[in-house]
Amino acid sequence: MVASEIATIFFLFNAVLRGSLVQSQGLQRGFYDSSCPDAEDIVRSTVEKYYNNDATIAPGLLRLHFHDCFVQGCDASVLISGASSERSAPQNFGLRGFEVIDDAKSQLESTCPGVVSCADILALAARDSVDLTGGPSWSVPLGRRDGRISSAADAKALPSPAEPVSVQRQKFADQGMSDHDLVTLVGAHTIGKTDCAFVRYRLYNFTATGNADPSISPAFLPQLRSLCPPNGDPARRVALDRDGAGSFDAAFFKNVRDGNAALESDQRLWGDDATQGVVQKYAGNIRGLFGLRFTYEFPKAMVSLGGVAVKTGRQGEIRRKCSRFN
């Protein structure tokens, strides 16, 4: 297949994505076309401004949207500040991008006050982050309203890096999502980094006999150990996608297949019968083409995620500031 044919396939995929991902759970495409026609442009320009200054903000915003949707649904509950709020939960330590959302919200309140929800800003910022890192773009169904509950105790619904795949699958099922959605959304780890604190336990005495996690590739283990020595800085950053943390592509799944995943939870996707087939599908065997299917499926999974337990109509509120209830 020549380059022009591949380019044509990408064009057709984008056309399908933009035209078909329109409605989800009572949300709709173009929700602000009349009430705040510049809403999406304002969010995009804000994300782009921060991204141009620090490209690592992109995975931060993507993760922020994910963490929001898994607790109380996609209602911006993770943005509320306070001693017992969801944002303060241990599961949410290290979340980034709050200032980007606050900046976009401030501009939107000046342009069309009381119209655009913080939850919708989160969904748009996640989409724009993927696009800016070379991934696909898609039409984001909008119309979410912001929730009035934010509790640290509810963050237990979030998947954990040390949990077995069976637990993660159940947590996704609890949100109405499938095993296929699980693998596809974990593909977001194609961008971003994690702390040595979440990796080092795999590298030393994992089996209680001094050995490392046997699922780690022998060729990859020395690289991880050099980054995360036994008494090293637990906050040192490790790429989630070996040698490609800044570019949104399907190479992450080749790393999972080959034993080169930094997180145990990512690597376990290859060892589980329910998820291995999806990993293999995305990893592919045809040079240069393995990323196309993932590029098509990821936006669909993001639309599913963005529709989890949304509040619409007269539910919830439209916050004036994203960090506090009205």
Side-chain angles (χ1 to χ4, degrees):
M1 183 174 288
V2 297
S4 61
E5 292 174 316
I6 295 174
T8 299
I9 291 173
F10 271 117
F11 175 81
L12 292 173
F13 276 177
N14 279 330
V16 171
L17 291 172
R18 293 177 186 275
S20 63
L21 302 179
V22 177
Q23 293 187 336
S24 174
Q25 303 297 320
L27 307 176
Q28 60 184 351
R29 177 184 175 188
F31 183 81
Y32 298 111
D33 283 356
S34 298
S35 58
C36 192
D38 293 331
E40 295 198 36
D41 289 339
I42 289 171
V43 175
R44 169 71 186 212
S45 64
T46 305
V47 173
E48 194 164 3
K49 176 181 69 174
Y50 283 86
Y51 177 81
N52 288 338
N53 184 59
D54 177 9
T56 66
I57 200 66
L61 289 167
L62 186 54
R63 184 174 178 231
L64 194 59
H65 178 52
F66 180 90
H67 277 234
D68 177 48
C69 290
F70 252 77
V71 184
Q72 294 288 339
C74 306
D75 67 349
S77 54
V78 75
L79 302 180
I80 296 295
S81 60
S84 60
S85 70
E86 187 180 318
R87 180 170 170 173
S88 70
Q91 294 90 336
N92 288 324
F93 288 173
L95 285 182
R96 300 179 59 217
F98 296 100
E99 72 280 10
V100 183
I101 306 303
D102 288 342
D103 190 344
K105 178 61 172 175
S106 178
Q107 294 178 58
L108 288 165
E109 283 299 298
S110 295
T111 304
C112 36
V115 174
V116 182
S117 70
C118 300
D120 277 346
I121 297 173
L122 274 173
L124 290 168
R127 186 271 309 276
D128 294 338
S129 296
V130 172
D131 184 44
L132 285 167
T133 53
S137 187
W138 61 93
S139 296
V140 179
L142 300 168
R144 299 167 188 80
R145 289 173 66 86
D146 301 322
R148 295 192 178 102
I149 297 173
S150 183
S151 170
D154 293 335
K156 62 182 180 296
L158 285 161
S160 165
E163 289 174 343
V165 176
S166 59
V167 174
Q168 294 187 67
R169 289 172 59 205
Q170 184 57 56
K171 286 186 173 182
F172 270 75
D174 290 344
Q175 306 297 337
M177 289 184 287
S178 66
D179 295 342
H180 190 278
D181 290 327
L182 162 61
V183 178
T184 305
L185 290 171
V186 168
H189 288 171
T190 181
I191 55 175
K193 297 183 178 183
T194 189
D195 293 344
C196 277
F198 299 108
V199 177
R200 190 162 52 199
Y201 74 93
R202 303 182 65 204
L203 311 181
Y204 310 97
N205 203 31
F206 181 82
T207 62
T209 58
N211 297 321
D213 182 345
S215 69
I216 302 174
S217 163
F220 188 39
L221 182 59
Q223 181 179 340
L224 288 177
R225 282 179 166 171
S226 68
L227 290 169
C228 304
N231 298 313
D233 181 3
R236 186 174 184 182
R237 305 292 281 168
V238 179
L240 291 169
D241 186 357
R242 183 186 185 187
D243 303 323
S247 179
F248 197 99
D249 55 41
F252 167 80
F253 294 102
K254 295 184 71 175
N255 284 326
V256 171
R257 182 192 63 192
D258 297 340
N260 295 327
L263 291 179
E264 180 184 3
S265 56
D266 290 352
Q267 191 58 61
R268 296 296 176 249
L269 295 175
W270 183 249
D272 188 273
D273 290 341
T275 54
Q276 185 183 95
V278 186
V279 173
Q280 179 60 63
K281 179 178 72 172
Y282 291 148
N285 296 305
I286 304 174
R287 183 175 176 83
L289 297 181
F290 62 85
L292 296 182
R293 186 179 287 112
F294 175 60
T295 298
Y296 178 71
E297 295 291 339
F298 186 79
K300 294 196 295 183
M302 285 295 290
V303 170
S304 294
L305 172 68
V308 170
V310 294
K311 297 163 182 65
T312 58
R314 296 184 178 180
Q315 299 171 319
E317 63 184 13
I318 304 296
R319 287 185 213 143
R320 289 185 289 273
K321 292 193 67 174
C322 290
S323 60
R324 66 179 186 231
F325 303 123
N326 289 344

